[in-house]
Amino acid sequence: MPLARIALLATLPLLLLPAAADAQKRIVGGGPTAPGAYPAQAHLRIDLGAASLSCGGTLISRTKVATAAHCLDAANYALPLVVPRPVAIAPERVTVSLGSDLAGQGDRQVASAVQLHPDYDPRTSANDAAVITLPQPATQQPLSVVDPAVDAASYATGRPAVVIGWGRTTDGGQASARLLEVEVPVVSDADCNDANSYAGSLLVDVMLCAGLPEGGKDSCQGDSGGPLMTRSTGVLKLAGIVSFGDGCAAPQKYGVYTEVGAAAIQGFLATAAGAPPKATVDAVTGAVAGRATTVRVSASDPTPGGGIAAVAWDLDGDGAFDDATGLSAPWIPTAAGDQAVRARVSDSDGMVVVAERVVTVAARGSEGTAASPSVSGASAGSTPAGSTPAGSPPAGSATATTTTASGVAAAGGPASQSGAAGTGSGRARLATVSARGVRGTLRLRGTVTGTTCRAARVRVTVTRSGRRVARRTVAVDGRCAFGAALRLRGRLTIGLELLQSDGTVTRLGSRTRRVS
């Protein structure tokens, strides 16, 4: 019998969980997640009367949570141990918590329905999948489910995968109060079914393995039902469900997961939770760096009576869908080359799909415009149009700065009167910039030169530990000054871009500050 990865939260006769005493009880080799990093993660508390059990789950629509069937099979918790077939536990025994990295905290709902995969076999763990229905729509963002037609590479051998859960942190110890994560590679079916691993018992049509041959990283008890996620179209997607393992993190004994992309699992999820929307980002032609264009997505909902509820865009490749909304959106490519644009499409049930299009962006001036003026036509001491004066910084770079007594970083020389007045002469660049952290507030102010200031804006992007935490676009006034105040703490990297009225985007550089 496979060793299921359920965590016992209170004293219960071991006859009810014969595998519990044999398995190491923790997410192994990982660490705590960043706060709020996985909003679709669900904590399940299963009430057995004298005791309770803990499992994980994944919000895949506003009212549906995917998990493992063995977590919700009442036959697992009944005497005698051997029963004819699985029986779904009563929904009122299942409490689902969402929106917190702490186990059992956040928004809580008691399930209104529980559905096991009709072909779930507890003897082999085949089709170990179930869906919980919530009585009220959740406010958290659901996780996209892999689509085999688009995400086939999600199951490639060696593909990095992320597993999260509240499994126990020491063998025989207490369950983790904080959500943990570990990264493990996908393992080939052949290696997982090797004589030193599962010796041919793995049902490759509906199962996959992940882990290291030397062990050391794995999911374990308390993580059952939680997600194994792989990245595709720029985002993490639900690719597997924690099912079982022979011990935890032992050499050659990989973690085994229900393969969400398998036809039998896809069909069950579509029936129990609904089919996700379909979406394709339309082809974009004639894209030029620094010039505005339009991106569009074609989307439909295959669910009868459904519809598309929302579209959000990631146009700068940072993984956050906060750049635009709607079926079409304006886009200004920032550089020449191949750039990915992504649309996150949600249907009326909250199911999500992410569509991606890689667009080839031409360099500005290379799209067949009139010939440039002859250099010989320039007067002595002048600079040909479109070139950079000697000693000037390249377009989009920040000038060298020194800090004045007032704490304002000034450019290497005073801004010219014409630049300060915003005549648009020369190259757009920072003249001064100051970034200070005071009592949990990042205060930013500065001036630009070389642009028509009254029609310009500055886009401020703030990241912390590589993750974007804020973005704001502020106006540049008639004196070419701008400012912003953001409530943030920690070591922050502040990126600045100048958005000009003709669609040109100029990178002004970045600063790093610590705000306490």
Side-chain angles (χ1 to χ4, degrees):
M1 177 181 177
L3 305 186
R5 295 184 166 179
I6 306 172
L8 187 64
L9 299 184
T11 303
L12 187 69
L14 286 180
L15 285 175
L16 301 188
L17 288 171
D22 300 327
Q24 194 175 355
K25 303 173 178 67
R26 58 182 174 180
I27 275 255
V28 182
T33 63
Y38 301 103
Q41 176 70 2
H43 179 273
L44 311 183
R45 185 180 185 275
I46 302 155
D47 181 13
L48 302 178
S52 61
L53 300 174
S54 173
C55 278
T58 304
L59 188 70
I60 58 172
S61 82
R62 295 296 181 193
T63 59
K64 304 291 183 178
V65 174
T67 187
H70 75 258
C71 289
L72 304 175
D73 179 9
N76 274 346
Y77 318 123
L79 293 175
L81 291 176
V82 179
V83 295
R85 59 192 178 92
V87 178
I89 199 166
E92 60 267 23
R93 291 183 176 272
V94 182
T95 300
V96 180
S97 300
L98 289 159
S100 177
D101 301 319
L102 301 178
Q105 302 300 307
D107 301 330
R108 299 177 186 172
Q109 296 192 53
V110 176
S112 60
V114 170
Q115 186 173 350
L116 307 184
H117 193 295
D119 296 323
Y120 166 58
D121 186 345
R123 297 166 299 179
T124 63
S125 287
N127 303 304
D128 189 8
V131 170
I132 297 168
T133 300
L134 303 177
Q136 299 295 327
T139 59
Q140 289 74 26
Q141 177 64 52
L143 186 68
S144 182
V145 176
V146 294
D147 178 352
V150 177
D151 307 313
S154 292
Y155 297 109
T157 299
R159 185 83 165 189
V162 176
V163 188
I164 57 178
W166 287 278
R168 298 188 182 189
T169 56
T170 60
D171 190 7
Q174 298 297 312
S176 173
R178 185 169 294 280
L179 187 63
L180 306 176
E181 67 181 332
V182 66
E183 183 176 292
V184 288
V186 173
V187 176
S188 70
D189 293 341
D191 286 344
C192 203
N193 254 337
D194 183 83
N196 293 320
S197 188
Y198 290 99
S201 64
L202 184 74
L203 303 177
V204 297
D205 288 344
V206 290
M207 298 176 183
L208 75 146
C209 291
L212 300 171
E214 67 272 21
K217 293 187 176 184
D218 199 2
S219 57
C220 207
Q221 285 191 340
D223 300 319
S224 278
L228 175 138
M229 298 170 286
T230 55
R231 190 171 295 277
S232 181
T233 62
V235 297
L236 288 173
K237 298 183 180 182
L238 180 64
I241 298 171
V242 178
S243 184
F244 69 91
D246 186 353
C248 293
Q252 302 292 327
K253 303 298 183 182
Y254 306 103
V256 182
Y257 302 82
T258 301
E259 187 174 327
V260 172
I265 308 303
Q266 289 269 307
F268 166 67
L269 293 179
T271 300
K278 302 293 184 182
T280 303
V281 176
D282 298 345
V284 179
T285 58
V288 178
R291 288 190 178 174
T293 187
T294 300
V295 290
R296 296 178 176 84
V297 63
S298 299
S300 62
D301 184 1
T303 303
I308 301 302
V311 178
W313 291 87
D314 174 15
L315 300 175
D316 55 11
D318 67 350
F321 291 84
D322 57 359
D323 298 319
T325 59
L327 291 171
S328 63
W331 176 46
I332 304 175
T334 57
D338 289 343
Q339 297 186 38
V341 294
R342 302 181 180 98
R344 185 181 66 201
V345 179
S346 304
D347 66 15
S348 54
D349 294 322
M351 298 201 83
V352 177
V353 67
V354 175
E356 178 184 69
R357 171 77 65 175
V358 177
V359 180
T360 299
V361 179
R364 192 159 189 172
S366 65
E367 67 277 17
T369 56
S372 300
S374 168
V375 175
S376 61
S379 60
S382 67
T383 304
S387 66
T388 303
S392 296
S397 66
T399 59
T401 59
T402 57
T403 303
T404 66
S406 65
V408 177
S416 67
Q417 186 174 3
S418 61
T423 63
S425 62
R427 293 284 186 172
R429 60 189 185 274
L430 282 174
T432 64
V433 64
S434 171
R436 292 180 173 181
V438 181
R439 296 180 181 177
T441 300
L442 173 66
R443 299 188 183 278
L444 184 73
R445 58 193 177 99
T447 58
V448 295
T449 186
T451 184
T452 304
C453 297
R454 289 182 180 85
R457 296 172 297 156
V458 169
R459 182 162 61 197
V460 182
T461 303
V462 184
T463 60
R464 182 173 54 216
S465 300
R467 184 184 298 274
R468 190 167 85 189
V469 293
R471 167 172 281 179
R472 183 172 298 177
T473 301
V474 296
V476 178
D477 65 21
R479 299 176 62 186
C480 291
F482 64 92
L486 300 96
R487 296 284 296 176
L488 295 167
R489 293 181 184 272
R491 184 175 177 81
L492 308 173
T493 299
I494 307 108
L496 301 173
E497 296 171 295
L498 182 69
L499 312 181
Q500 295 174 267
S501 58
D502 64 354
T504 301
V505 179
T506 304
R507 296 184 185 276
L508 300 176
S510 63
R511 301 289 186 275
T512 300
R513 294 290 185 271
R514 179 173 292 280
V515 180
S516 58

